[in-house]
Amino acid sequence: MSELEGLKVELRDLRRVQEELMAQQVSSVPNSSVQRVHISAFNRSHPNLWFAQIERTFRLNNIVTDADQFDVVATHLEDETLLAVEDLLLHPSNDNKYKALKCRILEKFGDSNQSKLQRLLKGDEFVGMKPSDILAQMRRLAPDQDDFIRLLFLQRLPPTIRP
């Protein structure tokens, strides 16, 4: 056998070994549901609603580890939100990373209970809305205050509709 043919055989053997090693590496990676999960982009105007949606997606896709939840959220944030949590992303703690990230985002972009109550009492945003939309928005602002919402809602209705 010539030297050239010997090199060809060695090259073919090396390629075969490389392919086998690559196949072993691919098969050793767990088939994570994190890779297949679809999450909508971060909703800055309703961060509580976005987290409620994403946590249901976690449950449906069996994403239960703190690290996986943290990674999924971190990869779905836009630039301005990333800047607000930069320190948590660059230097994450060893435990409760997801909870820390969620708390910081809600603190930064979510409405406080006080601001929701002020918006509810001020009522400027209800102008021109249908009564059913007014009631829905009031319930969003104060979800556990049915009696209070009913009283405010009836006050906001035109006098001809109240009865």
Side-chain angles (χ1 to χ4, degrees), residues 8-65:
K8 285 180 182 179
V9 169
E10 282 184 49
L11 181 60
R12 189 173 47 238
D13 290 342
L14 285 173
R15 284 185 179 153
R16 185 180 43 79
V17 169
Q18 182 183 21
E19 288 172 2
E20 288 173 2
L21 286 173
M22 288 178 67
Q24 287 175 357
Q25 288 174 345
V26 168
S27 66
S28 68
V29 173
N31 191 7
S32 172
S33 60
V34 174
Q35 297 168 354
R36 297 184 306 265
V37 69
H38 172 71
I39 305 292
S40 61
F42 177 64
N43 185 342
R44 283 187 45 188
S45 57
H46 301 289
N48 283 321
L49 187 59
W50 185 76
F51 274 107
Q53 182 182 32
I54 203 170
E55 287 171 358
R56 280 164 181 75
T57 302
F58 288 160
R59 192 174 62 245
L60 290 171
N61 289 281
N62 201 27
I63 300 171
V64 294
T65 67

Side-chain angles (χ1 to χ4, degrees), residues 105-118:
I105 291 170
L106 291 176
E107 178 184 300
K108 177 75 175 165
F109 298 102
D111 287 337
S112 68
N113 287 337
Q114 183 178 357
S115 69
K116 286 180 183 179
L117 187 57
Q118 287 174 341

